Amino acid sequence: MGKVELNKQEKENRLLDTAFQLFTTKGMKKTSISDIVNNAGVAKGTFYLYFKDKYDIADKLIVTKTRELCQQAAYRMLAADIQGAENRVIFIMDDLINELAQTPMLLNFIHKNLSWGIFRSALTRAEEKQELASVEFFQRIFGEEIEHWKDLPVMLYIIIEMAGSTVHSIILENDPMTLEEFLPHLHSSVRSVMKNFQVLE
Amino acid sequence: MGKVELNKQEKENRLLDTAFQLFTTKGMKKTSISDIVNNAGVAKGTFYLYFKDKYDIADKLIVTKTRELCQQAAYRMLAADIQGAENRVIFIMDDLINELAQTPMLLNFIHKNLSWGIFRSALTRAEEKQELASVEFFQRIFGEEIEHWKDLPVMLYIIIEMAGSTVHSIILENDPMTLEEFLPHLHSSVRSVMKNFQVLE
Amino acid sequence: MGKVELNKQEKENRLLDTAFQLFTTKGMKKTSISDIVNNAGVAKGTFYLYFKDKYDIADKLIVTKTRELCQQAAYRMLAADIQGAENRVIFIMDDLINELAQTPMLLNFIHKNLSWGIFRSALTRAEEKQELASVEFFQRIFGEEIEHWKDLPVMLYIIIEMAGSTVHSIILENDPMTLEEFLPHLHSSVRSVMKNFQVLE
Amino acid sequence: MGKVELNKQEKENRLLDTAFQLFTTKGMKKTSISDIVNNAGVAKGTFYLYFKDKYDIADKLIVTKTRELCQQAAYRMLAADIQGAENRVIFIMDDLINELAQTPMLLNFIHKNLSWGIFRSALTRAEEKQELASVEFFQRIFGEEIEHWKDLPVMLYIIIEMAGSTVHSIILENDPMTLEEFLPHLHSSVRSVMKNFQVLE
DNA sequence: TATGAATGAGACTTCATTCAT
DNA sequence: AATGAATGAAGTCTCATTCAT
């Protein structure tokens, strides 16, 4: 990569970082493109060399951040050597919740803008980049026991939505209860939902 | 209520109706206060006599619309004479999903702006107005068997969030599957979650 | 007219005057809407209450200014009691040229933006406003001898375009000769063109 | 001319051709330098190696195109063996009008940007380049009878402006009449104007 | 109460021009 | 000579909110 390429990469990253910083502190609506370029120390026109508009940079951020979180969780799961798909799902979920609980702004940002579609593309694009692929991601979780489960995508969809939307208001507003109080309920709910998708022999 | 009072009430209603109409067709972001007052046939300044800003009127609309939906569902449940809390919860849920599937715009509007807090206030304010109260609402569902359930608010929170967020993308985008395909999974998931909250004798 | 009406009228006029001032000194291209509102002492948004964009205000200015010039010329012609259509056309032409030679910027502005269509509407709209109408305008010139001329519109079109485009570069750049040197040629040319449209008895 | 020289020449020509193409289809105002370089397949900076700005390239184009049209008309006149200056002027004029009526975009472009000054330089520069010179151009028309005419430049100026500005709106908008209807009037007008400049013996 | 003209900050975008490579 | 990333001034336009009537 030549000097110019590196410089471009750095500019784009600086814009992404600054935008993320501002989106998570002031919120997307109150963050203007002027804010972003001023804080990033680049000219306004430069922004438009890299992104179509505010929503474009937001989408790219969500994809990036979501992928980072998932990868991190997957690596930790492997490191912790968790056995059994049910335990692994719970582990991943807890890891993500834990992470998001520490940066509520990120949760807020992701939640408001994340759709199932973007989520899928976050995992898919990782694949393209030879990083942790979505297929691989799920194989790491279900691995050897993949034939013991039916309708996996439906199950994951339900779990992701259930966990995502419940913890959102809990983390951001401690309402209707604290995360500590809620987690045991979430765990048992997830486990019982999963039971429905288990193939009994 | 005097003539003036009635006139005021009518203005406020006209603004609410127009805003709802526009929010659900154009979306909140693309609806300006100018749009609302122009369509409602009142002056711009008048808007500010009744509402603080666009978000204020949106909140009031959600409270109203949510309450209407819930009341309707409750009345239908009574009419159908459903037995057992589990069946009643499923019935209410199906009724709401059914209603929202017919007016996806309303679903979209409610979902994007509904928070647990507003939801609670929707039921609470009903109470104030001597209409169907939240307490009463839940009593109608659990009635005689209320002591057979523990942590009812948590359970309802989980069910509402799980159902709400899963059907959202399904109704609006038929993604990742159709509502028809999804409902059986949702039913069994809700039932198995509920089992966790049942007091066993 | 109420206070508010008067105030609005005054704002619009202030914008028109300022725009004219700037268009004729800096040129349309170099005049921004910011320039106009700053100089007029009104807010930017106010501009858009009265005009669609820069071209809208320019069109309105041309219509106004053209009409003013024509009216003035017509009144002077009457005052001077000129006899014969040929002499009257020459008089009007000279009067307009004279006027424009004194404010070359106005000539430049009108010329660059004047089209036959706008010109026609300038005279037409005068009619609506009960001011000097285009029909009346031409009747004052040709009056009693109107049946001695054929294809009047064609004749006027040729004269207007010939005079307009020749004096333009002459007044603005004294090129290819001075106005003084040119006028006799223009007079004889106009007279000989008119001869072609005269009905001989 | 070396290889490099040829390459440079080709770049300049490619820019000129592309600019002409865009100016006549989108209009000058809506054509950006980016448009030009993108379509020409050269880098933005390269543009500035050959032209000062958009107006510079436009001027050069007008000069070129005008000269081409005039030369073509002159050759055709010779080929047609027209006798008499009056007939020759009419022939040239008709040829140019005919040409421009077939490519209204070119007419529009030339008209909006052509000034008497550029026109003169168009003929003058031809001279420098040893091509058909303006002096020669006029000699071909008036040739043997040149001493029968006085104030030739004035006469030509009037005719060019009269013809140019009248046919402009007629060709582009068929307003206020069609070209067919108008041409006879133009012919007789030109002939009668010319009469004024004829030296009577 | 009701009005709607006026405000003005700030949104988003374009583009001619420069300059390091 | 050629490139094209970077610039940033300037452009048009929107809209929530205020306030005199």
Side-chain angles (χ1 to χ4, degrees):
Chain A
M1 219 189 274
K3 227 179 193 175
V4 177
E5 275 314 295
L6 280 172
N7 211 296
K8 278 175 68 178
Q9 195 55 239
E10 199 242 318
K11 280 252 159 71
E12 183 170 350
N13 286 338
R14 203 149 80 234
L15 283 167
L16 280 167
D17 291 345
T18 312
F20 180 66
Q21 171 66 22
L22 292 169
F23 285 166
T24 50
T25 48
K26 305 174 57 172
M28 252 196 81
K29 206 198 145 126
K30 293 209 167 173
T31 302
S32 69
I33 289 179
S34 291
D35 290 337
I36 298 172
V37 294
N38 287 342
N39 280 280
V42 301
K44 210 182 257 178
T46 308
F47 179 91
Y48 292 93
L49 290 177
Y50 294 97
F51 309 101
K52 206 184 131 290
D53 55 26
K54 201 161 68 170
Y55 303 99
D56 186 30
I57 199 173
D59 278 357
K60 282 177 180 149
L61 274 174
I62 290 168
V63 168
T64 310
K65 296 297 176 183
T66 306
R67 195 168 59 229
E68 282 172 15
L69 285 178
C70 289
Q71 279 175 32
Q72 202 180 38
Y75 287 129
R76 285 202 190 115
M77 183 192 76
L78 289 179
D81 191 31
I82 308 295
Q83 294 307 315
E86 207 180 293
N87 293 328
R88 284 182 180 154
V89 165
I90 299 283
F91 181 93
I92 296 266
M93 184 179 78
D94 280 353
D95 186 277
L96 293 172
I97 289 172
N98 198 36
E99 208 62 42
L100 291 168
Q102 282 165 44
T103 50
M105 291 316 204
L106 173 56
L107 167 63
N108 192 33
F109 176 61
I110 288 182
H111 182 86
K112 276 218 175 139
N113 302 92
L114 181 63
S115 77
W116 179 248
I118 294 184
F119 179 75
R120 211 167 33 195
S121 86
L123 291 172
T124 309
R125 255 188 260 182
E127 200 167 8
E128 288 164 8
K129 295 203 176 176
Q130 321 297 352
E131 297 173 14
L132 182 61
S134 62
V135 172
E136 202 191 331
F137 183 73
F138 294 124
Q139 273 197 342
R140 286 200 189 168
I141 295 176
F142 293 94
E144 64 281 10
E145 49 178 288
I146 197 129
E147 70 273 17
H148 297 172
W149 301 89
K150 57 182 179 193
D151 295 318
L152 263 185
V154 185
M155 181 184 95
L156 289 168
Y157 178 64
I158 292 175
I159 293 173
I160 288 168
E161 293 294 335
M162 175 168 63
S165 62
T166 50
V167 299
H168 181 249
S169 127
I170 283 178
I171 289 179
L172 293 183
E173 307 171 45
N174 273 321
D175 180 77
M177 69 207 84
T178 66
L179 184 56
E180 229 171 16
E181 289 160 5
F182 182 65
L183 274 186
H185 294 295
L186 181 60
H187 286 170
S188 58
S189 294
V190 169
R191 287 186 193 274
S192 59
V193 164
M194 286 184 80
K195 291 274 188 302
N196 287 328
F197 291 88
Q198 213 162 4
V199 177
L200 301 174
E201 278 139 284
Chain B
M1 226 188 270
K3 237 182 189 171
V4 178
E5 276 308 297
L6 279 172
N7 207 297
K8 278 175 63 181
Q9 193 53 238
E10 199 242 321
K11 280 235 165 84
E12 183 170 348
N13 285 338
R14 207 152 75 233
L15 284 167
L16 281 166
D17 290 346
T18 311
F20 181 66
Q21 171 66 20
L22 292 170
F23 285 166
T24 51
T25 49
K26 306 173 56 173
M28 254 195 81
K29 207 200 142 122
K30 293 206 169 174
T31 301
S32 68
I33 289 179
S34 289
D35 289 336
I36 299 172
V37 295
N38 287 342
N39 281 281
V42 301
K44 223 184 218 167
T46 309
F47 179 91
Y48 292 92
L49 296 176
Y50 296 98
F51 308 101
K52 201 182 136 289
D53 55 26
K54 200 160 69 170
Y55 303 99
D56 186 31
I57 200 172
D59 279 357
K60 283 177 180 147
L61 275 172
I62 289 167
V63 168
T64 311
K65 297 297 175 183
T66 306
R67 195 168 59 230
E68 282 171 15
L69 284 178
C70 289
Q71 282 175 29
Q72 203 181 37
Y75 287 129
R76 285 201 190 115
M77 183 192 76
L78 290 179
D81 191 31
I82 308 294
Q83 294 308 314
E86 206 180 294
N87 293 328
R88 285 182 179 152
V89 166
I90 299 282
F91 181 94
I92 295 267
M93 184 178 78
D94 280 354
D95 186 277
L96 293 173
I97 289 174
N98 198 36
E99 209 63 41
L100 291 169
Q102 282 166 43
T103 50
M105 292 316 207
L106 173 58
L107 167 62
N108 194 31
F109 175 61
I110 287 183
H111 182 85
K112 276 215 175 142
N113 302 92
L114 182 62
S115 76
W116 180 248
I118 293 184
F119 179 76
R120 210 168 35 195
S121 84
L123 293 172
T124 309
R125 256 190 259 183
E127 202 168 7
E128 287 163 9
K129 295 206 178 175
Q130 321 299 349
E131 296 172 14
L132 181 60
S134 62
V135 173
E136 200 189 334
F137 182 74
F138 294 124
Q139 273 197 342
R140 287 200 188 167
I141 295 175
F142 292 95
E144 64 282 11
E145 48 177 289
I146 196 125
E147 70 273 16
H148 298 172
W149 301 89
K150 57 181 177 191
D151 296 318
L152 261 184
V154 185
M155 181 183 94
L156 289 169
Y157 178 64
I158 292 176
I159 293 173
I160 288 168
E161 293 294 334
M162 173 168 65
S165 62
T166 50
V167 300
H168 180 248
S169 127
I170 283 177
I171 289 179
L172 293 182
E173 306 172 45
N174 272 321
D175 180 78
M177 70 208 82
T178 66
L179 185 55
E180 231 172 13
E181 289 161 6
F182 181 64
L183 274 186
H185 293 294
L186 182 59
H187 286 169
S188 58
S189 294
V190 168
R191 287 186 195 275
S192 60
V193 164
M194 286 184 79
K195 291 275 187 304
N196 287 327
F197 292 87
Q198 215 162 3
V199 177
L200 302 173
E201 280 137 287
Chain C
M1 219 188 276
K3 227 179 195 176
V4 176
E5 275 314 294
L6 280 171
N7 211 297
K8 277 173 68 176
Q9 196 54 240
E10 198 242 319
K11 279 252 159 73
E12 183 170 350
N13 286 338
R14 203 150 81 234
L15 283 167
L16 280 166
D17 292 345
T18 311
F20 180 67
Q21 171 66 19
L22 292 171
F23 285 166
T24 51
T25 48
K26 307 173 55 170
M28 250 196 84
K29 206 197 144 124
K30 294 207 169 177
T31 301
S32 70
I33 289 178
S34 291
D35 289 337
I36 298 172
V37 295
N38 288 342
N39 281 279
V42 301
K44 210 180 257 178
T46 308
F47 179 92
Y48 293 93
L49 289 177
Y50 295 99
F51 308 102
K52 205 184 134 291
D53 53 27
K54 200 159 71 170
Y55 303 99
D56 186 32
I57 199 172
D59 279 357
K60 282 177 181 148
L61 274 174
I62 290 168
V63 167
T64 310
K65 296 296 175 184
T66 307
R67 195 169 60 227
E68 282 172 16
L69 284 179
C70 291
Q71 281 176 30
Q72 201 180 38
Y75 286 129
R76 286 204 188 112
M77 183 192 76
L78 289 179
D81 192 31
I82 307 296
Q83 295 305 316
E86 207 180 294
N87 293 328
R88 284 182 180 156
V89 166
I90 299 283
F91 181 93
I92 296 267
M93 185 179 77
D94 280 354
D95 186 277
L96 293 173
I97 290 173
N98 198 36
E99 208 62 42
L100 291 168
Q102 281 164 45
T103 48
M105 291 314 204
L106 174 56
L107 167 64
N108 193 32
F109 176 61
I110 287 183
H111 182 86
K112 276 218 173 140
N113 301 93
L114 182 62
S115 77
W116 180 250
I118 293 185
F119 179 75
R120 211 167 33 194
S121 85
L123 291 172
T124 310
R125 254 188 264 181
E127 200 167 8
E128 288 164 8
K129 294 205 178 176
Q130 320 297 354
E131 296 173 13
L132 180 61
S134 63
V135 172
E136 202 191 333
F137 183 74
F138 293 124
Q139 273 198 343
R140 286 201 189 165
I141 295 175
F142 293 94
E144 63 281 13
E145 49 177 286
I146 197 126
E147 69 274 16
H148 299 172
W149 302 87
K150 58 180 178 194
D151 296 319
L152 263 185
V154 185
M155 182 184 95
L156 289 168
Y157 179 64
I158 292 176
I159 292 173
I160 288 168
E161 292 294 336
M162 173 167 66
S165 61
T166 50
V167 300
H168 181 247
S169 130
I170 284 178
I171 289 178
L172 293 182
E173 305 172 45
N174 273 321
D175 180 76
M177 69 207 81
T178 66
L179 185 56
E180 231 170 13
E181 289 160 6
F182 181 65
L183 274 186
H185 294 294
L186 180 59
H187 286 170
S188 57
S189 294
V190 169
R191 287 186 193 275
S192 59
V193 164
M194 286 184 79
K195 292 275 188 301
N196 287 328
F197 292 88
Q198 213 160 6
V199 176
L200 301 173
E201 278 136 290
Chain D
M1 223 187 270
K3 235 180 189 174
V4 178
E5 275 309 295
L6 278 171
N7 207 297
K8 277 175 64 178
Q9 194 53 238
E10 200 242 319
K11 280 236 165 85
E12 182 169 349
N13 285 338
R14 207 152 74 233
L15 284 167
L16 280 166
D17 291 346
T18 312
F20 181 66
Q21 170 67 19
L22 292 170
F23 285 167
T24 50
T25 48
K26 305 173 56 173
M28 253 196 82
K29 207 197 143 123
K30 293 205 169 176
T31 301
S32 68
I33 290 179
S34 289
D35 288 336
I36 299 171
V37 294
N38 286 342
N39 281 280
V42 302
K44 223 183 217 167
T46 308
F47 180 92
Y48 292 92
L49 295 176
Y50 296 98
F51 308 101
K52 203 183 134 289
D53 55 25
K54 198 160 71 172
Y55 302 99
D56 186 31
I57 200 172
D59 279 357
K60 283 177 179 146
L61 274 173
I62 289 168
V63 167
T64 310
K65 297 296 173 184
T66 307
R67 194 168 62 229
E68 283 172 15
L69 284 178
C70 290
Q71 280 176 31
Q72 202 181 37
Y75 286 129
R76 286 203 188 113
M77 184 191 76
L78 290 178
D81 192 31
I82 309 294
Q83 296 305 315
E86 205 179 295
N87 293 329
R88 286 183 179 153
V89 166
I90 299 282
F91 182 91
I92 295 268
M93 184 178 77
D94 280 353
D95 187 277
L96 293 173
I97 289 173
N98 199 36
E99 209 61 42
L100 291 169
Q102 281 164 45
T103 50
M105 292 315 208
L106 174 56
L107 167 63
N108 194 32
F109 175 61
I110 287 183
H111 181 87
K112 277 218 174 141
N113 301 94
L114 182 61
S115 77
W116 180 249
I118 293 184
F119 180 75
R120 209 167 36 195
S121 85
L123 293 172
T124 309
R125 256 189 260 182
E127 200 167 8
E128 288 163 7
K129 295 205 179 177
Q130 321 297 350
E131 296 173 13
L132 181 61
S134 62
V135 173
E136 201 190 334
F137 182 76
F138 294 123
Q139 274 197 341
R140 287 201 187 165
I141 294 176
F142 293 94
E144 64 281 10
E145 48 177 288
I146 196 127
E147 69 275 16
H148 298 172
W149 301 89
K150 57 180 179 194
D151 295 320
L152 262 186
V154 185
M155 182 183 93
L156 289 169
Y157 178 64
I158 292 176
I159 293 173
I160 288 168
E161 293 294 336
M162 174 166 64
S165 62
T166 50
V167 300
H168 181 248
S169 126
I170 284 177
I171 290 179
L172 293 182
E173 305 172 46
N174 273 321
D175 181 77
M177 71 208 81
T178 66
L179 185 56
E180 229 171 16
E181 290 161 6
F182 181 64
L183 274 186
H185 294 294
L186 181 59
H187 286 170
S188 58
S189 294
V190 168
R191 287 187 194 275
S192 59
V193 165
M194 286 184 79
K195 292 273 189 303
N196 288 327
F197 291 88
Q198 212 161 6
V199 176
L200 303 172
E201 279 136 288

